């Protein structure tokens, strides 16, 4: 089974640059306190690292 991470949105995209909003949408997040389970790949980790003030990693599985 592939490794996964659970990501939660903790910040609002209001008054943020369009690039940060697009990163949130790319992760499948767009509303406060939503969570998503995503594959633990370098591209997903890079997206999370670009917006650490908007998301947090809750859990790592696998």
């Amino acid at each position: 089974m592939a490794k996964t991470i659970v990501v939660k949105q903790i910040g609002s995209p209001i008054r943020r640059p369009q690039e940060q909003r697009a990163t949130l949408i790319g992760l499948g997040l767009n509303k406060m306190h939503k969570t998503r389970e995503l594959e633990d790949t370098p591209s997903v980790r890079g997206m999370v690292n670009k917006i650490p003030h908007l998301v947090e990693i809750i859990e790592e599985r696998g």
Side-chain angles (χ1 to χ4, degrees):
M1 186 171 168
K3 290 181 64 175
T4 60
I5 56 174
V6 179
V7 180
K8 179 179 181 179
Q9 182 176 343
I10 58 169
S12 173
I14 296 174
R15 296 181 58 125
R16 301 288 181 190
Q18 185 62 33
E19 183 177 300
Q20 292 180 6
R21 290 175 184 233
T23 303
L24 274 177
I25 292 169
L27 289 171
L29 302 169
N30 61 352
K31 294 184 180 174
M32 292 289 292
H33 310 295
K34 292 272 187 167
T35 60
R36 275 299 297 269
E37 185 172 351
L38 303 166
E39 283 190 49
D40 191 6
T41 62
S43 61
V44 171
R45 286 285 182 160
M47 292 171 80
V48 170
N49 289 338
K50 281 184 81 172
I51 52 171
H53 54 288
L54 298 177
V55 298
E56 70 178 358
I57 297 176
I58 295 183
E59 184 179 349
E60 297 184 25
R61 298 181 183 162

